[in-house]
Amino acid sequence: MLDMELIRKDRDAVASALAKRLDPGEVTRALDEIEELDRQRRSLIGEIDAERQRRKAEARAYAAAKRAGTAPEQGPDPEAERKQLAELEAQLGEVQERLRTVMSELPNLPSDDVVPGGKENNRVVKVFGEPPAIEQVRDHVELARSLRLVDFDRGVKLGGSGFWMYTGLGARLEWALVNWFIDQHVAAGYEFLLPPHLLLDSAGFAAGQFPKFYDDVYHLDRDSAPRGQFLLPTSETAILGAYQDEILDTASLPLRAFAYTPCYRRESAGSHSDERGTVRGHQFNKVEIFQFVLPEQAEAALEEMLVHAERLVEGLGLHYRRSLLAAGDASASMRKTLDIEVWMPSTGKYKEVSSVSWAGDYQARRASIRYREPGGKQTRFVHTLNGSALATSRLFPAILEQCQQPDGSVLVPEVLRDRVGTDRLVPAKK
């Protein structure tokens, strides 16, 4: 969440940044309430401290008078004083909880170079390669069926709409992608993690997904999970949550980690032509890279993660572009997001296969992840960055479409051929 001290010192700057994402009237109302709750909180803390000091002074005075033999018969009533203090503390608890709720609902402050608006204001900042020249384009659903790589019908039979099942060489291609990504991340110095797929609600809050996107994930019922558990929508949530409430050793930063997991989301499966097949569904595979860094390391870390993710797409020989997202199209938890988007020949559009984002200290504040300078006592919040590297459910169709051949076969990217066991996927004989 946001820094309360920053709101106190420079409300106008905070309001201006938030207005890139929210209606200005909504921003004003939220900041007015936050400032009033903060005033009440500080006032109550002052009253409580003063009351405690008064009680201590009164107790000392009564003890001294008693020793001198001048104490009144009726001393301070401890029960009444406890009740009065408890009432003030209860008021403080209510104010602090409301302040936490309002603060937690505010999005992150976009970086200065992030423009307002939605998808229409996204800006392409890099293009790699050229779209392949294909005379008769087949879409990935047709190719996956003819090559017997994905069984969409049995996927629906098993899980319902929005699910599919990789089969044969399709399963090998999917697994080859995951394993090649893993090898590349290990070589780049990221630590490999395999986290639980079920996470506590506290991890969702820490990542900034809750409370706003609480209904976008699959939750266990409260009888089965009284503490609140959900199926992770991305392993970003797990990696961040693993370090909640920790003080990291400054010498260990930047701390680089990555995880492979299936991702589970309630979002509707796509019905549009550009969201058919495996492009959008309720379960898909993804490898996520993550960094915890010192604030001064964040800019370099963002570029390093972008280049690392792009090298994977380039290694597959795919045409793609990099786009800087406008504030309204980026995740509310992120200060800055850049998407890596692959070309889909069947639709003539680009589809995001990776979002690389810098959250500043927004997530670290929610998760209470800090660092302490060597020899120092005061702690500061780390900065966090995350990136898909990569999501396979969109790379899979991009490979099929960009690497398709006139005879209906598909060339397997060279880096995957040993893992898949062939250099070409060919239609099944009838």
Side-chain angles (χ1 to χ4, degrees):
M1 57 185 67
L2 303 184
D3 182 357
M4 188 67 234
E5 190 62 28
L6 179 61
I7 296 175
R8 292 190 195 116
K9 288 182 176 179
D10 199 347
R11 169 176 166 149
D12 288 346
V14 172
S16 177
L18 288 175
K20 290 183 177 182
R21 282 189 160 132
L22 302 174
D23 176 79
E26 183 182 355
V27 172
T28 297
R29 288 189 293 274
L31 293 181
D32 283 348
E33 183 175 9
I34 286 170
E35 288 187 330
E36 174 58 22
L37 289 167
D38 183 49
R39 185 197 64 76
Q40 292 178 23
R41 183 184 68 85
R42 288 188 289 172
S43 175
L44 284 166
I45 289 173
E47 286 186 53
I48 290 169
D49 287 344
E51 178 63 19
R52 286 173 175 161
Q53 291 300 320
R54 185 194 64 77
R55 289 176 59 185
K56 288 179 182 178
E58 192 175 76
R60 285 195 296 267
Y62 181 76
K66 195 170 183 180
R67 287 193 298 271
T70 59
E73 291 185 11
Q74 185 66 36
D77 183 352
E79 185 61 32
E81 291 185 340
R82 273 196 297 268
K83 183 178 180 181
Q84 182 179 2
L85 191 58
E87 289 175 353
L88 288 171
E89 289 173 339
Q91 291 178 43
L92 176 61
E94 292 175 3
V95 168
Q96 289 186 146
E97 181 59 30
R98 177 58 187 165
L99 179 59
R100 182 176 184 270
T101 298
V102 179
M103 289 285 285
S104 71
E105 291 172 347
L106 283 179
N108 203 345
L109 304 181
S111 176
D112 291 343
D113 58 344
V114 172
V115 301
K119 191 181 295 287
E120 69 282 356
N121 288 339
N122 293 349
R123 181 166 58 91
V124 176
V125 295
K126 176 183 176 181
V127 177
F128 175 81
E130 297 288 339
I134 305 171
E135 288 188 6
Q136 293 184 326
V137 176
R138 299 176 178 86
D139 74 22
H140 73 280
V141 175
E142 178 186 348
L143 288 164
R145 290 187 188 278
S146 67
L147 299 172
R148 295 186 180 178
L149 306 176
V150 182
D151 194 326
F152 296 103
D153 297 331
R154 288 192 172 95
V156 172
K157 182 191 294 185
L158 285 169
S161 177
F163 292 90
W164 56 85
M165 181 169 69
Y166 295 105
T167 59
L169 286 175
R172 293 190 66 177
L173 177 59
E174 173 76 1
W175 211 236
L177 283 166
V178 170
N179 278 282
W180 184 62
F181 297 158
I182 289 171
D183 288 348
Q184 298 306 303
H185 300 331
V186 170
Y190 287 80
E191 182 182 13
F192 187 17
L193 308 176
L194 285 174
H197 296 184
L198 279 172
L199 305 180
L200 294 172
D201 283 357
S202 58
F205 176 85
Q209 291 152 355
F210 299 168
K212 184 173 182 179
F213 300 107
Y214 186 84
D215 293 332
D216 290 355
V217 301
Y218 292 99
H219 296 272
L220 270 65
D221 63 82
R222 288 291 173 173
D223 290 338
S224 302
R227 293 180 62 189
Q229 282 179 296
F230 64 100
L231 280 167
L232 59 79
T234 167
S235 50
E236 168 202 342
T237 317
I239 300 173
L240 176 76
Y243 290 87
Q244 287 177 89
D245 303 313
E246 293 190 21
I247 298 175
L248 305 180
D249 181 3
T250 305
S252 71
L253 302 176
L255 192 161
R256 298 180 176 92
F258 78 96
Y260 157 72
T261 65
C263 302
Y264 308 92
R265 300 184 185 179
R266 296 178 63 91
E267 60 186 352
S268 299
S271 57
H272 299 294
S273 60
D274 60 337
E275 294 189 343
R276 297 178 64 228
T278 68
V279 171
R280 185 180 297 276
H282 298 305
Q283 177 186 325
F284 58 92
N285 293 318
K286 182 158 68 77
V287 182
E288 186 83 6
I289 55 176
F290 202 99
Q291 290 198 33
F292 300 88
V293 303
L294 300 173
E296 58 268 26
Q297 297 170 335
E299 185 176 352
L302 180 64
E303 183 61 22
E304 182 265 312
M305 293 172 72
L306 273 165
V307 171
H308 179 60
E310 287 175 345
R311 283 175 181 159
L312 300 179
V313 186
E314 292 171 15
L316 296 170
L318 299 177
H319 166 57
Y320 74 89
R321 70 185 187 186
R322 180 199 290 190
S323 295
L324 174 62
L325 300 194
D329 195 37
S331 166
S333 301
M334 300 300 152
R335 282 180 54 76
K336 185 175 182 177
T337 296
L338 294 107
D339 276 1
I340 300 169
E341 304 162 331
V342 293
W343 175 249
M344 300 294 288
S346 67
T347 62
K349 297 179 181 179
Y350 290 88
K351 273 294 178 183
E352 173 257 318
V353 293
S354 175
S355 285
V356 181
S357 302
W358 165 48
D361 62 6
Y362 184 88
Q363 291 180 321
R365 287 181 180 279
R366 299 171 78 97
S368 190
I369 304 174
R370 295 155 290 158
Y371 69 95
R372 182 182 288 113
E373 295 285 359
K377 294 183 178 180
Q378 189 173 2
T379 60
R380 297 176 63 195
F381 291 104
V382 299
H383 281 207
T384 59
L385 304 98
N386 70 280
S388 313
L390 298 158
T392 61
S393 61
R394 293 183 178 178
L395 273 178
F396 192 102
I399 290 171
L400 297 188
E401 293 196 10
Q402 289 199 35
C403 300
Q404 63 182 290
Q405 302 300 301
D407 63 357
S409 66
V410 171
L411 293 179
V412 176
E414 188 172 349
V415 294
L416 303 179
R417 290 175 182 175
D418 287 347
R419 300 171 193 268
V420 177
T422 184
D423 63 354
R424 185 185 296 262
L425 305 171
V426 298
K429 294 181 179 179
K430 296 182 179 179

